[in-house]
Amino acid sequence: MEGGTAGDMQLYPNLTNGLLSLYGVTAGKETMTRQIFSPDMRLLKTILVSGGRLSLEGPDTGLHFIKVFDGKGSKVFKIWKQ
């Protein structure tokens, strides 16, 4: 799925070992900012990415929040890392 607004973004799967797929943005055509937060909303990492694949390497297992900015807006996702 390409195009759309930040509200159209979807991140799969919510239970992951680390590799995530982002849908609903112009994947591969623009650079996005991704921020990873701990459950207490402490910023763990900020990364620039392009494309529809995101890696959740580094953070511990458990609940994380990922905020993705795509130039049209942003959206926060709740992800569980195994």
Side-chain angles (χ1 to χ4, degrees), residues 13-59:
N14 342 30
L15 180 61
T16 182
N17 287 322
L19 191 58
L20 301 162
S21 295
L22 183 64
Y23 299 96
V25 296
T26 52
K29 296 184 180 174
E30 61 182 84
T31 300
M32 296 172 281
T33 302
R34 177 192 67 174
Q35 294 179 321
I36 301 173
F37 295 88
S38 64
D40 62 357
M41 297 308 291
R42 186 172 34 96
L43 180 62
L44 301 175
K45 190 184 286 188
T46 300
I47 298 174
L48 293 175
V49 295
S50 59
R53 305 288 277 187
L54 304 176
S55 176
L56 194 57
E57 293 178 6

Side-chain angles (χ1 to χ4, degrees), residues 55-70:
S55 176
L56 194 57
E57 293 178 6
D60 297 332
T61 59
L63 175 66
H64 296 289
F65 294 93
I66 299 178
K67 187 173 189 177
V68 179
F69 303 87
D70 74 343

